[in-house]
Amino acid sequence: MTKQSLKIYLVGINLAYQRQLQDGRFFTLAHQYLKAYCMTHTLLRERLEILTAEFDVFDDDADIVRQIVETEPDVVGFSSFFWNVKKIITITRLVKEVMPKAVIAVGGPQGSAEPWTLLDGRTGADFVVKGEGEITFSELLCNLMFGSPALRDIAGLVYKRGDQTVETSCRALMLDLDRIPSPYLSGGITVDFTRFRGLVQTFRGCPYACAYCCWTSREVRLFSWERVKGELEVLLGKGARRVYIIDSDLSLHRKVFRPLLEWLTSLQTDTVFDCSLRIENLDQDELEMIAKAPIDVCEIGLQSTNPVALKNVDRMWQQERFEKNYFYLRDLPRRRCQIIVDLITGLPGDSYETFRETLRYTAGLWPDKINFFPLTVLPGSPLRERAGRFGLHTADDDAGTVVSTQSLPLGEMMRVARLCTAWYLVWALERLSSRGLSLLLRNLNVDRFTLIEHADAWFQQRPDIYRSIQRDIDTLNPLKNRRAFSAADNQDGRLVSACRGFVNFVTDKLDQPDTCTAVATCLALDTLFAVAQVSRPSTFGETACDT
């Protein structure tokens, strides 16, 4: 292909997250970087039309293909991740059948780790871009338009030549990230931030060596604070209601972290921010700023308390410093942020009993929420090479989800999944009626984890309810947004009914009929109160406890 101009269509297929919260959807930031870089390229900027589109993994393949075909692009680009690679394989094949002359390029972590899997007979892809793609993709477009540089001279490119797969040299990392034009500051971004959350990163790379992760590089390179601040100001000006700072550990980049916290605490805004942190790295002054800032979600990756499992995945945990900082932040007066603790199920070396102890410990932290992530064996990760040693067996889902290990057979893994869902039910009861949960704990004289074990026992008696809760667990967030809540809603209605059933079960088991009546009354009143708020305008991120 040698043409005077090109129409580029960059298609994002994103991980769906609480689909009912439309103003909280994700978009593919990588495509915006590609667009910004290419549109400032001296040879390309006057000859390109670059369009972007955002879908999620639940959208119909035929609808996505139809929109691509109707756009009539010369080049179609995708970013591949473990959650969308199967869908991308199908879509690229269908697009190539309908538009055989269209050039299809795939990048992203999945393509970078195993590029040959995206160039086999299952797909319609012509090229795979490995690693950070701004320069590689722009040089590929130059080749398509001008015939130069030659494909073999474009670093970071993989393609088919006859029956052979050609992989060029690795591209050197861009050390000065400010050389990459900002999608926000360049004015080229067209995302509707009343529907999508803003996404910002302050650095690239990750210095940690967690064996289950797969980063482009462990070498950390920084965006300047001036640039990051400018991007955040643009997002505020565009009316973004939620901004997610997508760094693996926001506190890692101290040259941005401190001024960012100071800037956030000075804001008078309805916009909320989400971030992930290693809380061990913080000092008390920073913890206090986090509590004051308009941060809605502070996500902390604990993953496990089992030293054997942590060692097997090359992860360190400073328990004493973790607890000191965690409890200091949790107990700060007028703390605005929700503290969410992440755990991984199925780590090598974990058994049902060791995971149970991890959950007991985490429940005792009283976080606002616990996220459970099943272990996935990502292409390119060190864990991929160790899978045989640890007896990791994965599902046939292209995501590499671990379903059993040497220390956690399938039956025990299913017990772990049920225990996680039991925690979710207790958490949902707290969200629906915090005073009802407090009353239940006090009158039954049990702690939170004991209540979780009672919920697990109830699920064993009522597998139908367990399956119902488990089916909804990825999309439900009770009362997170009153506009999405209704007592008659299929999902939330089932959740309220399950909470009532569980309260009946545990109070009957412990012979506490008066407690059952009192908790049921709290749950009914708090639920009715929440429904009454449906018509009242609410701030994104608001919960029933806010009023």
Side-chain angles (χ1 to χ4, degrees):
M1 175 190 294
T2 302
K3 301 186 69 171
Q4 294 301 309
S5 62
L6 291 175
K7 178 186 280 189
I8 318 297
Y9 200 39
L10 302 177
V11 180
I13 300 177
N14 302 294
L15 185 64
Y17 178 77
Q18 298 173 1
R19 287 166 59 88
Q20 69 270 36
L21 304 182
Q22 291 300 309
D23 45 359
R25 292 183 60 202
F26 289 99
F27 67 96
T28 306
L29 181 60
H31 290 171
Q32 302 299 328
Y33 278 120
L34 293 179
K35 178 180 177 181
Y37 192 89
C38 290
M39 295 309 291
T40 56
H41 191 286
T42 304
L43 296 177
L44 295 175
R45 58 190 175 197
E46 301 297 332
R47 296 177 171 88
L48 296 180
E49 179 185 5
I50 302 182
L51 305 174
T52 62
E54 302 296 338
F55 302 93
D56 68 42
V57 291
F58 294 109
D59 287 326
D60 184 69
D61 292 350
D63 290 339
I64 298 174
V65 171
R66 180 167 56 252
Q67 185 160 326
I68 293 172
V69 172
E70 289 175 352
T71 305
E72 299 181 335
D74 300 300
V75 179
V76 187
F78 299 87
S79 285
S80 60
F81 301 84
F82 71 87
W83 64 76
N84 70 10
V85 65
K86 187 173 182 179
K87 197 173 190 73
I88 286 175
I89 287 172
T90 300
I91 290 170
T92 55
R93 184 182 70 249
L94 295 174
V95 169
K96 185 62 79 172
E97 289 175 358
V98 179
M99 304 178 65
K101 293 184 179 180
V103 173
I104 300 177
V106 181
Q110 193 83 8
S112 296
E114 294 183 345
W116 54 89
T117 63
L118 290 164
L119 293 171
D120 61 21
R122 300 178 301 161
T123 80
D126 300 292
F127 299 97
V128 173
V129 175
K130 289 186 60 178
E132 296 173 358
E134 288 89 358
I135 299 176
T136 302
F137 187 65
S138 66
E139 289 184 357
L140 174 61
L141 296 183
C142 285
N143 173 274
L144 297 176
M145 294 188 68
F146 313 119
S148 176
L151 293 178
R152 64 179 177 274
D153 296 329
I154 302 176
L157 195 65
V158 187
Y159 58 95
K160 297 287 286 188
R161 186 170 58 198
D163 294 333
Q164 293 185 326
T165 299
V166 178
E167 185 170 348
T168 66
S169 60
C170 292
R171 181 168 294 280
L173 294 173
M174 191 181 300
L175 300 181
D176 180 8
L177 294 185
D178 282 352
R179 286 180 52 205
I180 304 171
S182 166
Y184 299 103
L185 301 178
S186 66
I189 196 164
T190 56
V191 174
D192 179 1
F193 291 107
T194 63
R195 295 181 56 238
F196 292 86
R197 62 185 61 200
L199 303 177
V200 171
Q201 60 181 165
T202 73
F203 62 86
R204 288 185 180 180
C206 181
Y208 305 121
C210 306
Y212 47 77
C213 276
C214 181
W215 288 83
T216 302
S217 170
R218 290 183 62 187
E219 182 176 352
V220 175
R221 292 143 300 129
L222 315 176
F223 290 102
S224 67
W225 163 238
E226 291 74 18
R227 172 183 169 130
V228 172
K229 179 183 177 184
E231 292 183 333
L232 293 171
E233 289 174 339
V234 169
L235 283 167
L236 294 180
K238 287 182 174 289
R241 306 178 71 183
R242 182 175 292 272
V243 176
Y244 180 29
I245 303 173
I246 62 176
D247 302 328
S248 59
D249 174 11
L250 178 60
S251 63
L252 183 68
H253 182 355
R254 314 302 285 199
K255 292 181 180 178
V256 166
F257 182 56
R258 291 286 301 203
L260 172 61
L261 288 181
E262 292 168 0
W263 180 77
L264 286 174
T265 56
S266 71
L267 285 180
Q268 297 294 324
T269 180
D270 292 331
T271 302
V272 294
F273 298 80
D274 300 342
C275 66
S276 298
L277 295 167
R278 276 207 171 187
I279 201 166
E280 301 99 307
N281 297 340
L282 307 182
D283 59 37
Q284 288 190 356
D285 184 44
E286 291 165 342
L287 293 168
E288 290 171 2
M289 286 193 285
I290 288 172
K292 295 175 184 176
I295 296 175
D296 183 52
V297 170
C298 181
E299 198 162 348
I300 299 170
L302 176 60
Q303 317 310 0
S304 177
T305 62
N306 177 9
V308 175
L310 292 174
K311 182 179 179 181
N312 286 340
V313 295
D314 303 330
R315 187 171 176 87
M316 297 179 63
W317 178 44
Q318 300 171 284
Q319 182 174 356
E320 184 178 348
R321 185 155 180 82
F322 174 92
E323 291 176 355
K324 176 184 176 182
N325 285 354
Y326 178 88
F327 289 120
Y328 187 83
L329 175 62
R330 190 199 68 178
D331 297 337
L332 280 171
R334 295 181 295 279
R335 167 174 60 89
R336 299 176 66 177
C337 65
Q338 301 178 71
I339 300 176
I340 297 179
V341 176
D342 295 342
L343 299 179
I344 296 178
T345 62
L347 288 172
D350 246 343
S351 64
Y352 174 79
E353 289 303 323
T354 58
F355 179 79
R356 179 176 173 273
E357 289 308 306
T358 290
L359 183 54
R360 179 193 295 276
Y361 174 86
T362 310
L365 297 175
W366 279 89
D368 296 294
K369 188 182 179 187
I370 303 173
N371 282 335
F372 301 97
F373 296 98
L375 179 65
T376 56
V377 183
L378 299 177
S381 67
L383 195 60
R384 182 85 159 214
E385 300 174 2
R386 306 175 195 175
R389 191 203 326 169
F390 295 129
L392 305 184
H393 297 280
T394 59
D396 185 22
D397 59 1
D398 280 347
T401 305
V402 171
V403 295
S404 69
T405 72
Q406 279 180 351
S407 56
L408 200 60
L410 179 60
E412 298 294 275
M413 188 76 84
M414 294 174 69
R415 291 181 67 196
V416 165
R418 193 178 63 223
L419 191 62
C420 295
T421 309
W423 176 88
Y424 178 81
L425 181 64
V426 173
W427 173 78
L429 174 58
E430 180 182 14
R431 296 283 285 182
L432 292 167
S433 178
S434 59
R435 59 178 175 167
L437 178 67
S438 297
L439 184 64
L440 192 64
L441 294 172
R442 183 174 65 250
N443 286 9
L444 299 184
N445 194 27
V446 297
D447 60 19
R448 203 181 195 189
F449 185 74
T450 302
L451 203 60
I452 292 168
E453 293 194 304
H454 283 304
D456 184 39
W458 185 53
F459 282 154
Q460 293 178 58
Q461 293 188 16
R462 294 297 306 271
D464 56 324
I465 294 178
Y466 166 59
R467 288 191 296 269
S468 175
I469 298 296
Q470 192 180 45
R471 182 177 62 246
D472 294 338
I473 202 167
D474 290 333
T475 54
L476 276 180
N477 194 356
L479 306 189
K480 179 66 177 174
N481 186 326
R482 291 193 182 94
R483 291 171 296 169
F485 182 82
S486 165
D489 179 84
N490 287 336
Q491 292 180 332
D492 283 313
R494 284 199 300 271
L495 194 60
V496 173
S497 176
C499 287
R500 291 191 186 115
F502 169 60
V503 169
N504 289 338
F505 167 82
V506 70
T507 53
D508 182 62
K509 182 178 180 181
L510 300 180
D511 195 23
Q512 290 274 356
D514 292 342
T515 298
C516 179
T517 302
V519 174
T521 301
C522 288
L523 183 60
L525 290 174
D526 290 340
T527 302
L528 286 172
F529 175 80
V531 173
Q533 307 304 306
V534 172
S535 60
R536 183 179 66 83
S538 61
T539 300
F540 186 62
E542 188 177 43
T543 71
C545 302
D546 295 327
T547 56

